Amino acid sequence: MTGTFVGMPAFPDAARTALADTQLRHNLAHATATIRGKRDRLVAEVDASGVGWEELRLAGAAVKERALRGLDEHLVRLEESLTAHGATVHWARDAAEANRVVVDVARRHGVDEVVKVKSMATQEIELNEALAAAGIAAWETDLAELIVQLGGDLPSHILVPAIHRNRAEIREIFQRRMAAAGRPAPDDLTDDPAALAAAARAHLREKFLRARMAVSGANFAVAETGTLVVVESEGNGRMCLTLPDVLVSIVGIEKVVPTWGELDPLLRLLPRSSTGERMNPYTSTWTGVTPGDGPQEVHVVLLDNGRTRALADEVGRQALRCIRCSACLNVCPVYERVGGHAYGSVYPGPIGAILNPLLKGTGDPQTDSLPYASSLCGACFDACPVRIDIPEVLVHLRSRVVDGHRGDRVPKAEAVAMRAAAFAFSDAWRLGLGERVAAVVGRVHGRLGRTTLPGGRRSMTRLPGPGAGWTGARDLPAPPRESFRAWWRRTDGRLDEERTP
Ligand code: SF4
């Protein structure tokens, strides 16, 4: 029932469509401002307690960095620990291999439906679609994921996948689509949040009690003990992780944490950065199979799907520290205006702008457009609990995109502009000529459509021809009437007061 991101347009085109949706912008602005406010209050509380938010960030980043540096050893240890506790470990190079494992397990048990804990990894590999192709229904049990699934929609936020929907829209989706998927919504359903949650609870309850197989992801995987950790807010995860007989967990290889003790800073950073809570309402941990308690058959699929490619990138590998808290989305001025769908991936916002090209590689127009979906303001780095320098990675990826087009037979406008700049800057006479031409162009366009920027700087609002696309969305400062070199020649480098006797 959920759509797919395959075939999404490049970011500028998708963003243009999203910007025309005023309801979307209103929903996003309201939701991100609310989450930001809660998070900021808790960060201030940590600082006031004397622990220090920055110290906590440094500790969290160090844990993830240690885990990534020794990833090969930690993963082998994780496999040994899991196997020792009765779990079956599978290694999946890509989405197809991971999906095949889940379908095979489901077929072996003769199930035609599974319940799911919210999981980015399963969305990344499009597991629901793979299960549907095999005749197996996958039921999302997180409230926001349920809304997305029933609406035949796509997630637009890491933490709140239905952030683009308001209460009235959710009520309408429940009334229209719940009956086809199981227990229908009550006829008198209102858009009161408690009523909507109650309708979802009743709808999901029969699925929890009936399902024989569950699929989850994991927020963390402790190598030392073979323990998987899922944090969530609704209790649906706990139901999925304890009621069915069979459990399959898809775990990205970057989720490994060496020791149980190193979970400490991460479990303090994650809820504060994501939902703005001191701790998650539900933190479930499980270690393989416990006879007579919970699932009696546990499979863990360790997923690569581009992660080793990202790890090989010396600048970009820090993106694998991500704990999917979504704080960078909530502070991003670009995300707040265009929403998640414009990024064409389950990973939207600033982290999506770097993670997608790192996982998939550059070279595709949609992926190549993502590193440019940022103003490089740096708010994402300030908010990130594990100190991922997203602006640094964005600039690095932009250079990779540019490098990938150096051999093009028809160069891009940007490449032509850079070559022209290099030609002009490499010769004093050519640079002087360019400055004089720019000053004339600036004066002409200043008369046609000039505005004044903050601080009194003048701006050319619209350039003709190829420049129109660039100035359509940006302020282009008008060239000064006199260049620095011309001023130097005229004054010999002395200020007016120095020259006046
Ligand atoms: S990049 Fe940082 S802020 Fe963004 S989702 Fe990942 S951990 Fe959170």
Side-chain angles (χ1 to χ4, degrees):
M1 237 185 285
T2 309
T4 166
F5 282 105
V6 173
M8 289 289 280
F11 183 83
D13 296 327
R16 204 167 294 121
T17 307
L19 284 170
D21 187 340
T22 49
Q23 179 68 54
L24 172 73
R25 290 222 302 281
H26 174 80
N27 295 352
L28 285 168
H30 175 72
T32 53
T34 305
I35 303 172
R36 266 200 315 267
K38 287 173 69 181
R39 180 243 175 221
D40 291 350
R41 278 193 292 281
L42 284 177
V43 168
E45 186 182 271
V46 173
D47 275 331
S49 75
V51 175
W53 182 250
E54 195 55 30
E55 283 70 31
L56 209 48
R57 286 177 84 205
L58 285 164
V63 168
K64 292 294 286 188
E65 202 55 41
R66 268 199 301 280
L68 291 173
R69 283 182 194 280
L71 194 58
D72 49 349
E73 291 173 15
H74 300 317
L75 284 170
V76 170
R77 193 168 180 207
L78 175 66
E79 181 183 30
E80 288 167 358
S81 306
L82 282 164
T83 307
H85 288 93
T88 305
V89 176
H90 309 258
W91 297 82
R93 268 172 296 210
D94 54 25
E97 286 189 3
N99 287 333
R100 203 174 308 130
V101 170
V102 185
V103 170
D104 286 350
V105 172
R107 283 198 173 132
R108 199 150 24 81
H109 287 274
V111 301
D112 59 4
E113 65 173 1
V114 300
V115 285
K116 280 187 68 204
V117 188
K118 179 178 179 304
S119 147
M120 304 300 297
T122 60
Q123 291 174 15
E124 175 191 323
I125 62 175
E126 303 199 327
L127 175 65
N128 289 11
E129 289 70 26
L131 286 169
I136 301 160
W139 304 116
E140 297 289 350
T141 63
D142 172 86
L143 176 56
E145 289 289 2
L146 176 69
I147 295 164
V148 168
Q149 187 177 44
L150 290 175
D153 204 351
L154 291 164
S156 64
H157 190 277
I158 290 176
L159 180 73
V160 198
I163 198 170
H164 54 290
R165 297 288 192 190
N166 60 27
R167 286 193 270 154
E169 291 173 311
I170 294 167
R171 171 179 168 272
E172 192 269 327
I173 290 169
F174 279 9
Q175 288 199 312
R176 196 162 43 87
R177 304 300 290 271
M178 258 186 180
R183 184 179 173 131
D187 291 337
D188 59 351
L189 182 65
T190 68
D191 63 5
D192 175 53
L196 294 171
R201 175 195 290 254
H203 178 83
L204 291 170
R205 183 67 45 143
E206 63 175 24
K207 290 185 164 52
F208 289 134
L209 297 177
R210 193 178 62 210
R212 292 163 44 217
M213 175 171 160
V215 176
S216 83
N219 292 93
F220 307 106
V222 184
E224 168 186 54
T225 57
T227 305
L228 301 190
V229 183
V230 161
V231 294
E232 42 118 7
S233 299
E234 299 168 15
N236 63 303
R238 182 71 57 86
M239 301 285 262
C240 293
L241 297 169
T242 51
L243 288 176
D245 297 329
V246 182
L247 172 62
V248 184
S249 302
I250 315 283
V251 184
I253 54 174
E254 83 284 16
K255 300 287 180 178
V256 72
V257 173
T259 61
W260 183 261
E262 285 166 293
L263 277 179
D264 173 32
L266 300 173
L267 286 178
R268 286 197 278 166
L269 288 163
L270 180 55
R272 288 178 169 88
S273 301
S274 56
T275 49
E277 295 169 303
R278 291 189 189 95
M279 67 180 292
N280 292 86
Y282 295 88
T283 300
S284 299
T285 65
W286 72 103
T287 307
V289 175
T290 303
D293 185 9
Q296 295 301 291
E297 185 173 320
V298 172
H299 296 263
V300 178
V301 182
L302 296 175
L303 176 70
D304 181 345
N305 207 33
R307 285 156 176 80
T308 45
R309 180 208 299 268
L311 194 64
D313 187 314
E314 287 186 13
V315 178
R317 68 173 57 138
Q318 58 184 305
L320 296 177
R321 297 208 295 254
C322 177
I323 55 174
R324 311 281 190 267
C325 71
S326 75
C328 57
L329 278 64
N330 299 328
V331 297
C332 177
V334 177
Y335 176 85
E336 186 175 315
R337 281 154 186 83
V338 303
H341 293 162
Y343 294 82
S345 160
V346 295
Y347 301 113
I351 183 60
I354 60 172
L355 196 55
N356 291 304
L358 286 165
L359 292 179
K360 299 176 191 168
T362 48
D364 168 78
Q366 198 277 333
T367 317
D368 282 3
S369 69
L370 293 176
Y372 294 90
S374 169
S375 63
L376 299 180
C377 69
C380 47
F381 171 64
D382 292 342
C384 179
V386 283
R387 294 178 56 86
I388 299 171
D389 194 340
I390 294 176
E392 180 191 28
V393 183
L394 284 167
V395 172
H396 164 70
L397 289 171
R398 286 180 189 186
S399 75
R400 265 183 38 189
V401 171
V402 170
D403 286 345
H405 289 279
R406 287 205 194 281
D408 287 0
R409 286 181 56 192
V410 182
K412 287 175 174 291
E414 186 187 32
V416 172
M418 288 300 157
R419 274 183 217 162
F423 180 71
F425 277 90
S426 60
D427 180 275
W429 182 84
R430 287 198 290 259
L431 179 59
L433 178 65
E435 287 171 346
R436 286 196 291 281
V437 171
V440 172
V441 171
R443 272 200 286 277
V444 171
H445 281 280
R447 288 209 185 90
L448 293 178
R450 190 176 68 197
T451 57
T452 303
L453 299 174
R457 288 179 299 124
R458 290 177 303 126
S459 161
M460 297 197 308
T461 53
R462 266 287 198 241
L463 282 177
W470 205 88
T471 53
R474 300 171 179 88
D475 287 317
L476 176 65
R481 289 172 193 281
E482 184 178 42
S483 69
F484 173 79
R485 283 144 42 93
W487 170 82
W488 187 274
R489 270 196 305 275
R490 181 169 61 77
T491 65
D492 200 23
R494 285 179 299 161
L495 299 174
D496 288 349
E497 53 271 29
E498 293 174 54
R499 284 185 281 118
T500 309

